[in-house]
Amino acid sequence: MKSLIHSDVLFPAENSIRSIAQALYKTVSDLPIISPHGHTDPKWYALDEPFPDPAQLLIVPDHYIFRMLFSQGIRLEDLGVRRLDGSAVETDGRRIWRLFAENYYLFRGTPTRQWMDFVLSNLFGIDEPLTAKTADKTYDLIAEKLALPEYRPRALFKRFNIEVIATTEGALDDLRWHKAIRDSGWDGRVVTAYRPDAVVDPDFEGFSANLDQLGDMTGEDTGSWTGYLAAHRKRRAYFKSFGATSSDHGHATADTANLSDQEAAALFGRIRAGKSDLDDHKLFRGQMLTEMAKMSLDDGLVLQIHPGSRRNHSPTVFANHGRDMGFDIPGRTDYVSALKPLLDAVGAERDLTVVLFTLDETSYARELAPLAGAYPALRLGPAWWFHDSPEGMRRFREMTTETAGFYNTVGFNDDTRAFPSIPARHDVARRVDCAFLARLVSEHRLREEEAFELATELAYTLAKKAYRL
């Protein structure tokens, strides 16, 4: 069948290098997917109900898609994106799909275009480019297939060859859907990850009430520093009982602190009493990253830090539509000074894994690769979010490999809410890595047998090892 994706996409143009990349890719293209960090909804796997219409599945929840359309003047309401006040938005999936198809040309040259073409071609068997003329035809074809049993979440999980996928839940989540998955007896491996932002960031909306709820859930006194830490330990243990192997921390900066117990208790007391300022809030977030790292030494959870996102940059969009609406923007980030308190405390621990992500590519060669190339506890997360792209992945390998090597990285993660795009994203990463390895082989910087070993490591083994899956 004709495909929208060329078989040699992302491989080198020069024949001899491309042939090496092709041979490497052939050995990894069908490996199982390890998805250790993501945001798919566990409810899908618990209930295993048919996905909604094509627009609700592929457009409405995907901020990569609707932020681009919004940048060209298309209203989020016209794309079906909910409003916090409950006022009307477009609910006709066909109309949303038509609007998307009419403007699909806007995605030329972007990774979103490549992911979507992969989904249309490989998942739904569509071989015509998406345009205004083909909108209704593709909508009907996708809708027809979504009604079939083989397009339900659990069937797609198997079809995608997912070995394990991690969702991400807040510290106050009751994990009911993970319990339902476990109780169902289904053999698909879906684990959770501990995301405590709402109860470690004093600037998070409802922070004080969140701490009260944390206390109610754990039976600990979250009005005291010791009770607050004990509550985290209990929640982490609860998350581990549902398969969690990692915690996830989305702070604006990489700032850490390592206060004495007395200083930390006094700081927490000011915050809990409402007598703190913004400097206290910043210090507290930094202290909690170090506290979480210390807890990881006890319970084994991998600590993921991904700073640098200036979240909710548009106050209007945030007020109207809430979080995660395409207006989290990268910013400059310091790591060398910011992480030093945490690294002084636990950086030399061999039993701790701290995975660092960045949205500031200028820090790769200057800061992140030298840090990960020295401290036993540190590993580099893959090119992520705005840099989860062919060029971003190439830059990552080029700027980090010479200093940190391959084995201080953790393979790839898709970090997505868009379930159908998971195979596409992993395929892009595997192709880019194979192309990079092929170049090293062609330049006699890597033996060919080593490249074949590394291709498997980068596509599968490193993520499984780093995340203890």
Side-chain angles (χ1 to χ4, degrees), residues 126-395:
I126 294 169
D127 58 9
E128 292 181 282
L130 182 61
T131 64
K133 291 183 179 179
T134 62
D136 282 344
K137 180 179 178 181
T138 56
Y139 183 90
D140 289 337
L141 192 153
I142 295 171
E144 179 182 339
K145 291 195 172 182
L146 289 179
L148 300 175
E150 55 264 39
Y151 282 82
R152 291 193 178 189
R154 293 184 181 183
L156 290 179
F157 188 99
K158 299 294 186 182
R159 175 173 172 177
F160 294 163
N161 198 20
I162 296 174
E163 181 174 315
V164 58
I165 192 168
T167 64
T168 305
E169 278 70 52
L172 303 177
D173 195 291
D174 62 9
L175 303 185
R176 71 178 66 181
W177 299 118
H178 282 274
K179 184 177 187 303
I181 293 169
R182 186 174 65 186
D183 292 348
S184 73
W186 179 53
D187 63 354
R189 190 176 176 197
V190 181
V191 302
T192 185
Y194 185 62
R195 181 72 175 257
D197 295 2
V199 290
V200 300
D201 181 0
D203 292 326
F204 204 98
E205 55 265 26
F207 178 71
S208 182
N210 294 342
L211 294 194
D212 292 339
Q213 185 179 348
L214 179 65
D216 291 340
M217 296 179 79
T218 59
E220 296 290 345
D221 176 15
T222 53
S224 73
W225 175 238
T226 55
Y228 171 70
L229 294 181
H232 275 292
R233 293 189 185 96
K234 283 189 175 180
R235 292 305 289 163
R236 290 165 66 99
Y238 186 70
F239 273 62
K240 283 192 69 176
S241 74
F242 287 96
T245 66
S246 67
S247 65
D248 183 28
H249 305 270
H251 295 198
T253 72
D255 290 328
T256 62
N258 190 26
L259 304 175
S260 68
D261 289 340
Q262 294 79 6
E263 291 171 322
L267 173 63
F268 181 73
R270 292 196 300 275
I271 290 171
R272 203 64 169 107
K275 298 178 180 179
S276 55
D277 57 22
L278 292 180
D279 287 338
D280 280 339
H281 295 182
K282 177 181 177 181
L283 182 60
F284 184 73
R285 287 189 291 267
Q287 180 65 23
M288 286 311 299
L289 281 179
T290 305
E291 295 293 345
M292 290 290 156
K294 292 176 179 178
M295 290 184 194
S296 288
L297 277 173
D298 295 329
D299 63 24
L301 291 185
V302 174
L303 178 71
Q304 300 176 96
I305 305 176
H306 49 79
S309 178
R310 305 306 188 253
R311 296 183 184 274
N312 310 310
H313 193 271
S314 168
T316 301
V317 171
F318 180 59
N320 290 339
H321 300 281
R323 293 176 171 268
D324 303 319
M325 291 296 130
F327 274 87
D328 296 346
I329 308 298
R332 286 178 292 183
T333 307
D334 165 69
Y335 290 90
V336 172
S337 299
L339 289 172
K340 194 172 190 311
L342 182 150
L343 295 174
D344 287 348
V346 296
E349 297 287 348
R350 293 180 296 175
D351 294 330
L352 174 66
T353 300
V354 178
V355 180
L356 299 177
F357 295 83
T358 192
L359 290 173
D360 180 5
E361 289 188 316
T362 66
S363 66
Y364 277 147
R366 184 184 65 246
E367 300 185 44
L368 289 176
L371 285 169
Y375 282 96
L378 293 186
R379 296 291 183 269
L380 297 185
W384 163 70
W385 202 343
F386 287 89
H387 309 303
D388 177 13
S389 63
E391 297 303 332
M393 293 173 185
R394 290 189 188 105
R395 289 192 294 268

Side-chain angles (χ1 to χ4, degrees), residues 364-366 368-374 380 394-409 436 439-440 443 445:
Y364 277 147
R366 184 184 65 246
L368 289 176
L371 285 169
L380 297 185
R394 290 189 188 105
R395 289 192 294 268
F396 173 78
R397 292 293 177 207
E398 289 169 353
M399 289 193 283
T400 63
T401 301
E402 290 182 328
T403 303
F406 290 107
Y407 292 92
N408 283 315
T409 66
F436 182 73
R439 195 188 87 194
L440 297 187
E443 294 172 355
R445 297 163 62 189

